[in-house]
Amino acid sequence: MPIASDVSLGRDVRIFQPDLVNLYGCTIAAETKIGAFVEIQKNAAVGARCKISSHTFICEGVTIEDEVFIGHGVMFTNDRSPSSVNPDGTLQTEADWTVVKTRVKRRAAIGSNATIIAGVTVGEHALVGAGAVVTHDVADYAIVAGVPARVVGDVRDRREMNPVATTPAGLPGRERRSVPGSDKDYT
Amino acid sequence: MPIASDVSLGRDVRIFQPDLVNLYGCTIAAETKIGAFVEIQKNAAVGARCKISSHTFICEGVTIEDEVFIGHGVMFTNDRSPSSVNPDGTLQTEADWTVVKTRVKRRAAIGSNATIIAGVTVGEHALVGAGAVVTHDVADYAIVAGVPARVVGDVRDRREMNPVATTPAGLPGRERRSVPGSDKDYT
Amino acid sequence: MPIASDVSLGRDVRIFQPDLVNLYGCTIAAETKIGAFVEIQKNAAVGARCKISSHTFICEGVTIEDEVFIGHGVMFTNDRSPSSVNPDGTLQTEADWTVVKTRVKRRAAIGSNATIIAGVTVGEHALVGAGAVVTHDVADYAIVAGVPARVVGDVRDRREMNPVATTPAGLPGRERRSVPGSDKDYT
């Protein structure tokens, strides 16, 4: 049963391929859309009117507020020191770690193939570029891109499509386009 | 039904796990192979004798010409400003955006976990390294790698397996191997 | 049949969603856990007490030793020059390539969305950061991160959670946190 009985689904949640997802113990609020090959773990919460695109993994400890866009192949994490076993070689269980929490605030957008390191907060209206690895908090309205992700712009300045930004190190003489982007909505 | 009735499949297309893909409204030409956990959206076109490897997402507006290799976990995009809702908070629909088109030309190869930003063209015989984020057009025969992807070689010069290239910034004294690669074909 | 009859499964292997994986011709040793949307090809070997997280692809030629943690969306590769067809335009078959082997040694951990280029060895207890692209061997106990992955620390020095490391180029005056991380274990 890829949608476990303990999942809380709000009104008009749309799951396009219910046999091709793995949802358990999570909360999904009203009108959110969920693509194929998505896994959402227990104790994760997704707000209303979000889009969670295909191939994305949302782990325990992640809170996604309302009206957030999550691209394809986005991976959240909740442990900065993952391990299969304890030092004595026994398999780790829930007693052996503490979940590090992550929050994505209202109307943020996270591009495809981005990786979100445990413990960060992505601010309201912020835009995380496709393929970015987010290791620090992202301010409201910031555009970040790269590995590790650095600020390359502000969504409020963004009337043109391809903002030009300085390099991560701020060196003069090089320019770098931000790399936001994802696919269009499912219809 | 993970393969929708409106999919156009050419002669001898091979889909190894037809219950574990999500294909709809797309065109797949003759002899192409498609791995597990692949999603291909409406108005995407894949040429003949291509390999589309597992976990890859091909979105609306993408054209892949003949004899192209697409690795595993490759994410295409078609929108540089993704959003879940319109400024007034209503869910976005197809009327609210324009698809930005992407083209991968004949015999190109795209390495695993690469991200292709909306609007680029990847040239004939070009090679995109695994894990690259492609933000600009890639010339015919070019090898690109990194985030953002930069030219690190030319496939016509490549008799040895691991080309050594200068750094993205062209600084002397550092060398960087390109990071192409993917898995072998499905048999 | 997403778990082929030729898969060798050790004692107490746990596959959480057996209808949502694609395993064939591989060997999985005792007590290992495998998440949803995982593909493991023929002639791949996974040791005992490992965790193979969702959305991960393990290809032919990969050996994973005991007690290894593999995060979500990790892509292994086995070919540095992937191609769909031979120069004469015929589809490639097994006779047309040599698998390049990759090894992940005991108790290593690989963060989510990492890409492992064919031919590398990841040492014992090593930690590969989330989103890294590993192009060279990783020494025992090393922490690596970035694209391409560079050494940013040593797990034996790591009592605090977020090690501060020099930049990949070793430039003074900038600091970069490593970007390891993955999600917690499946329970």
Side-chain angles (χ1 to χ4, degrees), chain C residues 113-176:
Chain C
N113 252 348
T115 307
I116 313 298
I117 301 298
V120 306
T121 294
V122 176
E124 292 190 13
H125 296 269
L127 176 56
V128 173
V133 176
V134 179
T135 60
H136 291 74
D137 289 350
V138 177
D140 293 349
Y141 296 98
I143 304 172
V144 302
V147 182
R150 296 183 188 283
V151 177
V152 298
D154 185 299
V155 294
R156 291 168 293 193
D157 298 334
R158 201 175 182 225
R159 297 185 182 276
E160 76 284 14
M161 292 297 281
N162 305 316
V164 173
T166 58
T167 64
L171 299 173
R174 281 171 63 199
E175 64 177 33
R176 197 168 65 104

Side-chain angles (χ1 to χ4, degrees), chain B residues 32-168:
Chain B
T32 281
K33 301 175 182 179
I34 297 178
F37 314 122
V38 165
E39 176 166 313
I40 307 179
Q41 292 187 316
K42 68 182 161 64
N43 300 322
V46 177
R49 293 177 298 287
C50 294
K51 297 176 189 165
I52 310 297
S53 307
S54 79
H55 298 90
T56 279
F57 170 70
I58 299 173
C59 53
E60 183 172 6
V62 172
T63 299
I64 293 174
E65 297 184 354
D66 294 343
E67 303 176 355
V68 165
F69 178 96
I70 306 287
H72 301 254
V74 174
M75 299 288 147
F76 286 86
T77 64
N78 61 15
D79 185 357
R80 287 173 177 256
S81 296
S83 178
S84 179
V85 294
N86 294 309
D88 65 2
T90 56
L91 281 167
Q92 284 204 346
T93 70
E94 291 211 331
D96 297 308
W97 64 66
T98 305
V99 169
V100 178
K101 294 185 178 180
T102 295
R103 177 174 293 268
V104 181
K105 298 180 82 169
R106 184 170 170 275
R107 292 208 186 178
I110 297 183
S112 294
N113 251 349
T115 307
I116 312 299
I117 300 299
V120 306
T121 294
V122 176
E124 291 190 12
H125 297 268
L127 175 57
V128 173
V133 177
V134 179
T135 59
H136 292 74
D137 289 350
V138 177
D140 293 350
Y141 297 97
I143 304 173
V144 303
V147 182
R150 297 182 188 282
V151 177
V152 297
D154 184 299
V155 295
R156 292 167 294 192
D157 298 333
R158 200 175 183 226
R159 298 187 182 273
E160 75 286 12
M161 292 298 280
N162 305 316
V164 173
T166 58
T167 63

